[in-house]
Amino acid sequence: MKPDRNSTPSLLDVKGLTRRFGGLVAVNDVSFSVKPGEIFTVIGPNGAGKSTMFKLIGAFIRPTSGDVVFEGKSLVGLAPHQAAARGVVRTFQETTIYREMTTMETVRTAFHLQCRATSLGAFFNTRQARADEAEANRAAEEILELLQLQHVRHEQAKNLPHGYLRALGIAMALAARPKLLMLDEPFAGMNPEETDAAVQMVRRIRDQGITVMLVEHDMHAVMRISDRIAVLNFGRKIAEGTPQEIQNDQNVIDAYLGQEDEELGI
Amino acid sequence: MNDTKSKLLAYVAFAVLYLVVVPLVFSGSPYALGVFSMSAALSVIALGVWVTFTIGRINLGQAAFALIGGFVAAICITRLGLSFWIALPVAGLVSAGVGVLLGLGILRLRGVYFAMITISLSEAVRLAILNGGSLTGGATGITGIPVPGELSLFGLVLIPDFASVNTHRAFYFLSAFLLLASILLVWRLMASRLGRVFASLQQGQELSQSLGINITKYRLIAFSVSCFLGGIGGAFFAAMQQSIYPGSFVVADSISFTLYCFLGGLAYVAGPIVGAFLLTIAFQLLHEFQQYQQLVYALLMIGIMMWLPNGLLSLRLPTFGGRGSASREVTRNEA
Amino acid sequence: MEQALVNGLVLGMNYALIALGLTMIFSLMNVLNFAHGQMYVLGGFITYYVCTSLGLPYFVAILASIAGLAVVGLVFELFLFRPVLQRSAREESSMLLAAGTATLLESLILLFFGEKQRGIPPVVSGVFEVGGAFIPASRALVFVIALASIIAFMLFMRYTRPGRALRAIAQDREVTALQGVNIQRYSALGFMIGAGLAGLAGSLLITVLSVNSGMGTSISVKAFIMVMLGGAGVIPGAIIGAFVLGLAEAFGYAFIPSSMTYLIIFVGLIVFLIIRPQGVMGKPWG
Ligand SMILES: Nc1ncnc2c1ncn2[C@@H]1O[C@H](COP(=O)(O)OP(=O)(O)OP(=O)(O)O)[C@@H](O)[C@H]1O
Ligand SMILES: [Mg+2]
């Protein structure tokens, strides 16, 4: 599974990425590359700029300088939906859901990018539109099964038990058929068993050929799941490497890990 | 699928009732047919407002688009000598076109901001028409618009000259056709992928973007359909009244259209239609209350919000959209 | 030219009273008070009634109008907005309710005060001349009262306990509630102050422009324009919006036909909002 770093071209290249908010430099001259099929994690203390990094890659905000290159083409200047169409999709917090849609409706809405019929075609319910709908239904069932959401398929999102919302978020993202899936703190608030299940889940997603980027504070999970890790501190990248390398990096221990020995479990 | 079938059945039943039963029962009363025609035209306009509700925008500018439609039709007919049958679609399309141009800018606004800018739009268009010089006739508007003439294709008469038949009945059937077609249009829209996309825009724009939905495009589609319906309704109004003034549709009308939607129920395509018919007909029946129309509208608006937030249709179909306003609640900060 | 400037400043000062009230209610409750223009009209009618029918002095009429509108505001908040907002925070609900209160107030004004145009003669006579512009003393008086009221309002908001509480709620409702501030009571107070300011503006401007029962909506629309220009919920924004509108109106009326003036203002507003949707001072959002 481990990609050969020297021969494979990278899927994502972040080059000298910088984003200022007024006087604050939230992301400061950060560069790294993500290879296809990797699980690549960004860690760092609160306010280090991790979420901002995801927003920049997903084209939700524009960089002050630097470039985001995905499959050889820049994403800078695109609208978020165009970045999604290229295959870069991120998940949101649990509260960001379509409150009044059922699980099934949500996933079918998320299937938008796979619909081949035009808007006019959808309106006139052409053969292509009907085929889209059938395919959306089939794919939605598949995704619900993968995430074990089948039995809540007709439940409105706002009535879903808390534990299902994160799975729903991932279900939505998967329905958009991403090449690069960005998960922001997917294990937050989970107990160890739930985290184990979620780690397996993320692996299964990767095994489907989807490259995964994570932001996560649960070091134990991070060290188990990641192929490579980048560490941010005050917007700057202070280290990058395998979990092994990161755990032994003096910079990282000083800036971040040192304070969290217990969490690290080492 | 069963749901679709029963809705289709309801639609056909309504069409039969409206095309056959009503005209038979009221054939002797041009006045009653006129009231129905007016209700139908207002329903078409209000249906447009309803469509903008589905993308989460409170549209208080529909009077502007009804005015644009009315004046475009009147200008086409009286100044350019075009047939009504060309003027009608032109009116709808011009309204939709203006809607797209304005929408490019104003659809970025949400919540009260969108409401405020559309209210201003109602005023702005009225003033623009007031200042339109000889083209729009200024304050006196355009009067003496001839009734729709014959529509024929290759010598085959499809629709007779309204002046040569019972004019009231002719307008009734025209309004009925427009209403039934508009319902079909909106219904199809909502049943397709577009309806789902619209709902997603209402419930989470950023999320929709991240799923690859071009929110600008779909907002524009919804808004232009809304403006199209407003323009068609306005053009019909001008033809039926044979006149149109800058004061024919004002801010208060924009608010009334919203009231129709709420009275029927925002969760139902039929909502604005139920609301428009009920209020228009009620006021014809309660002649003596006419001078209190404003007061009654006011009490209705307040009463609905206090006691019936999901509209009349929610009474009949308690399981359909969920009960109580809490079920459609959105958080305060979403706008 | 100078005349238009002077008229614009007088108008702007009074508009600021209207816009401040509207923005205050909005920032506290996220309610767009459609009835604001009708409240202004009611203030004018109360003033007219107290001055001419009861023959009481003008300043009594002003106080009566502020008090009367504060009561109207309180009633609206307590019996209409509070229950509806408690049940549903959907914007549509409070919006239709607000439109309903506007229509209600308008028909009640029509019922009680009739449809006649009403004005009162200038309270003071005489004319000042300042740099080539003539300022009737009555306008100067209106200007001064409005200015004093705005200063008093700002001082109240900045230095008193209730004022600070109101600003805190406008900033962050949840956090303020957690600090033990009684949000409901202050919402009622805010609604009273907002309505009272509209009443005050009605009292002042009726000496310059007469009122009629049907003009409420157009006043509300003006208030919306000011708030959109300045940024909703922002106090300095409301004042800026008011002066921009007052001056634009005064200069427009001086040089071009009146309905054209507002058309130009609307077009300008829409273009402005396309470029800057949050207004001059509003927070960016969306
Ligand atoms: N829109 C914004 N405007 C101004 N400052 C912002 C904005 N978004 C983020 N910031 C600031 O940028 C910095 C980085 O924020 P970011 O959310 O990226 O951190 P993070 O690493 O995700 O933190 P956490 O672990 O708490 O989620 C913070 O100081 C934050 O306050
Ligand atoms: Mg974060």
Side-chain angles (χ1 to χ4, degrees):
Chain A
M1 206 70 239
K2 283 259 166 73
D4 179 355
R5 223 174 296 162
N6 298 323
S7 61
T8 349
S10 49
L11 181 70
L12 175 77
D13 289 298
V14 171
K15 298 177 179 168
L17 202 60
T18 302
R19 169 72 203 208
R20 288 173 201 281
F21 292 113
L24 178 92
V25 191
V27 173
N28 196 348
D29 194 20
V30 173
S31 303
F32 57 80
S33 296
V34 179
K35 309 281 177 214
E38 258 189 325
I39 296 180
F40 187 96
T41 306
V42 181
I43 61 172
N46 292 110
K50 305 179 297 290
S51 298
T52 305
M53 170 73 67
F54 270 17
K55 285 181 201 156
L56 287 165
I57 295 172
F60 278 83
I61 54 177
R62 287 193 184 200
T64 311
S65 61
D67 203 358
V68 176
V69 179
F70 183 75
E71 292 188 317
K73 284 187 225 130
S74 175
L75 297 179
V76 173
L78 295 189
H81 73 266
Q82 291 170 319
R86 296 266 188 92
V88 179
V89 176
R90 75 183 245 242
T91 57
F92 287 82
Q93 290 174 307
E94 289 169 42
T95 44
T96 308
I97 46 167
Y98 299 130
R99 289 177 55 80
E100 281 157 40
M101 288 194 199
T102 64
T103 306
M104 190 68 187
E105 283 167 343
T106 302
V107 176
R108 286 181 54 168
T109 306
F111 200 71
H112 181 84
L113 279 174
Q114 271 62 55
C115 294
R116 312 241 314 277
T118 60
S119 299
L120 214 57
F123 176 78
F124 286 111
N125 205 17
T126 55
R127 183 195 302 247
Q128 180 68 60
R130 289 195 301 269
D132 285 346
E133 291 289 295
E135 173 59 17
N137 271 333
R138 197 196 54 72
E141 286 296 348
E142 210 175 281
I143 289 170
L144 292 188
E145 198 181 311
L146 178 72
L147 291 157
Q148 284 146 28
L149 286 166
Q150 308 98 309
H151 50 287
V152 290
R153 65 158 71 80
H154 296 306
E155 206 57 58
Q156 276 184 318
K158 64 174 184 222
N159 299 329
L160 276 185
H162 197 67
Y164 287 97
L165 291 179
R166 212 161 319 190
L168 181 63
I170 297 176
M172 271 190 261
L174 286 181
R177 298 262 162 91
K179 291 174 183 153
L180 175 65
L181 177 62
M182 299 191 286
L183 305 172
D184 198 343
E185 307 197 13
F187 312 135
M190 287 186 176
N191 63 31
E193 292 77 49
E194 289 169 334
T195 307
D196 276 345
V199 164
Q200 290 309 320
M201 161 74 50
V202 172
R203 290 221 172 98
R204 275 206 297 279
I205 291 171
R206 190 265 305 274
D207 293 345
Q208 293 193 345
I210 297 170
T211 307
V212 179
M213 271 186 88
L214 294 175
V215 160
E216 187 47 60
H217 284 291
D218 181 339
M219 283 309 139
H220 196 70
V222 167
M223 295 304 164
R224 268 198 299 158
I225 197 175
S226 311
D227 294 318
R228 278 187 312 130
I229 298 171
V231 188
L232 290 190
N233 194 24
F234 293 114
R236 287 191 169 278
K237 188 180 88 172
I238 56 170
E240 182 187 331
T242 62
Q244 199 78 59
E245 288 162 2
I246 294 298
Q247 279 170 348
N248 298 325
D249 187 306
Q250 198 53 44
N251 270 337
V252 179
I253 293 170
D254 289 348
Y256 180 43
L257 296 182
Q259 321 146 14
E260 302 187 33
D261 268 352
E262 298 93 273
E263 268 187 54
L264 250 177
I266 46 177
Chain B
M1 292 304 106
N2 218 349
D3 189 37
T4 315
K5 272 211 181 96
S6 68
K7 278 187 192 167
L8 195 63
L9 211 65
Y11 179 79
V12 171
F14 174 72
V16 169
L17 179 81
Y18 204 69
L19 289 174
V20 180
V21 181
V22 174
L24 279 178
V25 173
F26 292 99
S27 64
S29 166
Y31 167 75
L33 288 181
V35 173
F36 277 111
S37 310
M38 189 53 66
S39 308
L42 294 176
S43 299
V44 171
I45 301 173
L47 207 49
V49 176
W50 186 88
V51 171
T52 24
F53 269 117
T54 66
I55 58 164
R57 293 292 190 284
I58 304 162
N59 179 359
L60 294 174
Q62 191 70 333
F65 295 98
L67 263 190
I68 291 174
F71 270 93
V72 167
I75 289 167
C76 283
I77 296 169
T78 59
R79 312 276 196 259
L80 307 178
L82 293 175
S83 151
F84 170 80
W85 304 109
I86 294 174
L88 180 70
V90 167
L93 291 175
V94 170
S95 273
V98 174
V100 168
L101 283 182
L102 287 169
L104 276 172
I106 67 173
L107 280 167
R108 289 195 302 161
L109 304 177
R110 293 193 229 173
V112 289
Y113 294 85
F114 189 76
M116 287 194 282
I117 193 75
T118 47
I119 270 211
S120 306
L121 200 60
S122 294
E123 272 292 283
V125 168
R126 185 181 70 82
L127 291 175
I129 285 168
L130 206 57
N131 284 290
S134 59
L135 183 66
T136 61
T140 51
I142 298 175
T143 51
I145 303 169
V147 295
E150 181 183 288
L151 177 66
S152 55
L153 206 61
F154 308 119
L156 182 71
V157 179
L158 295 175
I159 300 171
D161 188 340
F162 275 29
S164 70
V165 293
N166 180 333
T167 313
H168 296 285
R169 202 176 305 160
F171 273 115
Y172 175 86
F173 281 114
L174 175 58
S175 73
F177 168 77
L178 292 178
L179 176 60
L180 290 169
S182 307
I183 298 174
L184 218 52
L185 172 95
V186 173
W187 187 23
R188 224 3 263 161
L189 206 57
M190 291 304 132
S192 73
R193 173 167 61 88
L194 299 169
R196 263 201 313 272
V197 171
F198 291 172
S200 84
L201 297 184
Q202 180 190 41
Q203 296 173 41
Q205 301 201 89
E206 223 192 6
L207 184 53
S208 300
Q209 280 187 305
S210 81
L211 296 172
I213 295 173
N214 182 347
I215 59 173
T216 313
K217 171 181 158 188
Y218 289 97
R219 284 195 303 227
L220 277 179
I221 293 179
F223 194 56
S224 60
V225 168
S226 165
C227 298
F228 177 80
L229 292 174
I232 293 283
F236 173 84
F237 178 91
M240 185 170 125
Q241 303 280 307
Q242 297 186 259
S243 60
I244 182 115
Y245 310 95
S248 294
F249 295 101
V250 294
V251 171
D253 295 296
S254 285
I255 294 174
S256 300
F257 300 139
T258 312
L259 171 61
Y260 299 155
C261 295
F262 269 95
L263 182 60
L266 277 189
Y268 318 96
V269 180
I273 298 155
V274 170
F277 271 83
L278 215 63
L279 285 183
T280 313
I281 293 174
F283 271 102
Q284 298 304 325
L285 295 177
L286 305 170
H287 259 311
E288 57 270 43
F289 286 118
Q290 207 101 68
Q291 54 168 324
Y292 297 115
Q293 172 164 354
Q294 284 258 305
L295 190 57
V296 174
Y297 270 38
L299 295 175
L300 257 177
M301 282 189 238
I302 295 171
I304 291 172
M305 256 27 277
M306 301 281 287
W307 297 295
L308 194 64
N310 287 330
L312 286 173
L313 292 176
S314 67
L315 292 178
R316 213 165 41 79
L317 305 162
T319 55
F320 195 73
R323 254 175 304 128
S325 59
S327 70
R328 289 182 58 93
E329 193 165 320
V330 294
T331 57
R332 207 171 262 282
N333 300 324
E334 205 160 86
Chain C
M1 194 72 193
E2 291 83 3
Q3 195 63 51
L5 182 66
V6 167
N7 291 346
L9 291 177
V10 174
L11 215 49
M13 195 59 85
N14 284 281
Y15 281 179
L17 290 175
I18 301 177
L20 280 176
L22 186 73
T23 232
M24 163 129 194
I25 294 173
F26 175 74
S27 66
L28 285 179
M29 313 176 60
N30 201 26
V31 163
L32 182 60
N33 184 24
F34 273 78
H36 217 69
Q38 281 77 10
M39 288 176 166
Y40 163 94
V41 172
L42 183 58
F45 273 110
I46 291 176
T47 310
Y48 170 81
Y49 180 77
V50 172
C51 279
T52 52
S53 303
L54 301 182
L56 294 171
Y58 178 58
F59 78 89
V60 177
I62 295 182
L63 292 181
S65 142
I66 296 175
L69 265 303
V71 171
V72 170
L74 181 65
V75 169
F76 278 10
E77 204 283 330
L78 275 187
F79 298 111
L80 303 176
F81 286 98
R82 186 172 297 182
V84 167
L85 287 178
Q86 254 163 20
R87 205 175 31 197
S88 153
R90 275 187 98 190
E91 256 165 352
E92 290 95 327
S93 324
S94 64
M95 187 101 50
L96 190 77
L97 179 64
T101 59
T103 317
L104 178 70
L105 211 51
E106 183 160 324
S107 29
L108 291 179
I109 293 171
L110 183 65
L111 226 52
F112 286 110
F113 294 102
E115 54 193 12
K116 276 227 174 64
Q117 187 94 11
R118 300 293 190 189
I120 64 172
V123 203
V124 290
S125 54
V127 173
F128 303 112
E129 200 197 321
V130 182
F134 294 98
I135 314 173
S138 61
R139 287 194 183 216
L141 179 72
V142 162
F143 182 84
V144 169
I145 299 177
L147 177 62
S149 313
I150 290 173
I151 292 173
F153 172 79
M154 304 283 267
L155 292 177
F156 167 81
M157 290 298 279
R158 190 155 288 276
Y159 294 111
T160 67
R161 243 178 87 85
R164 281 198 299 264
L166 288 171
R167 283 194 301 146
I169 296 174
Q171 279 268 316
D172 192 326
R173 217 183 152 80
E174 276 73 38
V175 169
T176 313
L178 286 178
Q179 288 165 353
V181 174
N182 184 338
I183 303 271
Q184 302 227 313
R185 182 174 326 145
Y186 282 109
S187 294
L189 177 67
F191 222 110
M192 287 172 73
I193 295 175
L197 286 173
L200 172 62
S203 289
L204 295 179
L205 272 187
I206 193 176
T207 61
V208 181
L209 305 159
S210 48
V211 295
N212 66 61
S213 61
M215 70 190 284
T217 305
S218 68
I219 300 285
S220 290
V221 170
K222 285 183 189 182
F224 297 164
I225 296 175
M226 299 181 240
V227 165
M228 282 188 279
L229 273 176
V234 193
I235 287 178
I239 296 175
I240 292 175
F243 277 97
V244 170
L245 185 69
L247 289 169
E249 197 177 314
F251 277 96
Y253 285 176
F255 301 109
I256 45 180
S258 64
S259 57
M260 193 62 116
T261 301
Y262 259 88
L263 181 58
I264 293 171
I265 291 175
F266 280 126
V267 172
L269 175 74
I270 290 172
V271 171
F272 172 73
L273 287 181
I274 288 171
I275 300 164
R276 201 176 161 81
Q278 75 272 32
V280 180
M281 310 213 36
K283 283 182 234 115
W285 41 262

